[in-house]
Amino acid sequence: MIAKNKKGKSFGGCVRYVLNEGHEILAAEGVLAEAAATIIRDFAIQRSGRPKIKQPVGHIAVSFSPEDSAKMTGDFMLKLAHEYMKGMDIRNTQFIIVRHHNTDHEHFHIIYNRIDNDLKLIS
């Protein structure tokens, strides 16, 4: 398993990238996950509570070896994503977990709001 953690400025760009062709939303919390526009809007509303924060977007991509493909069910990936978030103390905030089917290696993305539900910054 390889994880890449990034911070960013734009929920729009990140969400549109992750919701590309071949995606599957495994989970969503605190956002209406019917379309990219509603997810972006909901992230932006919460982000507006701390306008001075320059990088409110948390984006984690977690990739697996092609040899592990048989084990990578949606339920297993979702379990791993929640364990990873717990280990990184990403809680009490909006997020989406999205699986991609567009490469040879299984992977998923976690996009979360670094401005939590109490308007505190997640480092």
Side-chain angles (χ1 to χ4, degrees):
M1 180 174 98
I2 298 172
K4 294 181 182 177
N5 298 350
K6 297 180 181 181
K7 297 178 201 172
K9 296 177 183 179
S10 171
F11 283 109
C14 191
V15 169
R16 283 190 288 276
Y17 168 74
V18 169
L19 296 184
N20 67 12
E21 191 173 319
H23 78 273
E24 174 186 0
I25 297 177
L26 299 177
E29 180 75 33
V31 297
L32 185 57
E34 64 185 28
T38 59
I39 295 169
I40 294 164
R41 179 203 64 212
D42 291 346
F43 276 135
I45 289 169
Q46 185 154 308
R47 184 256 188 278
S48 69
R50 294 284 304 269
K52 291 184 180 180
I53 301 299
K54 300 295 183 207
Q55 294 183 307
V57 181
H59 178 196
I60 303 166
V62 180
S63 302
F64 302 92
S65 170
E67 292 85 42
D68 293 329
S69 290
K71 297 184 255 182
M72 295 296 126
T73 65
D75 288 340
F76 184 66
M77 288 180 136
L78 185 57
K79 180 182 176 197
L80 290 175
H82 283 296
E83 287 176 6
Y84 190 88
M85 290 172 67
K86 183 178 179 182
M88 297 295 290
D89 204 26
I90 300 168
R91 57 185 174 76
N92 190 38
T93 195
Q94 300 167 306
F95 65 85
I96 59 172
I97 301 170
V98 180
R99 179 180 185 174
H100 276 182
H101 299 280
N102 61 348
T103 63
D104 293 340
H105 62 280
E106 295 287 340
H107 66 285
F108 63 85
H109 298 262
I110 302 167
I111 298 175
Y112 65 96
N113 200 332
R114 294 185 60 233
I115 312 301
D116 77 8
N117 298 334
D118 299 319
L119 301 182
K120 294 180 182 172
L121 180 64
I122 298 172
S123 64

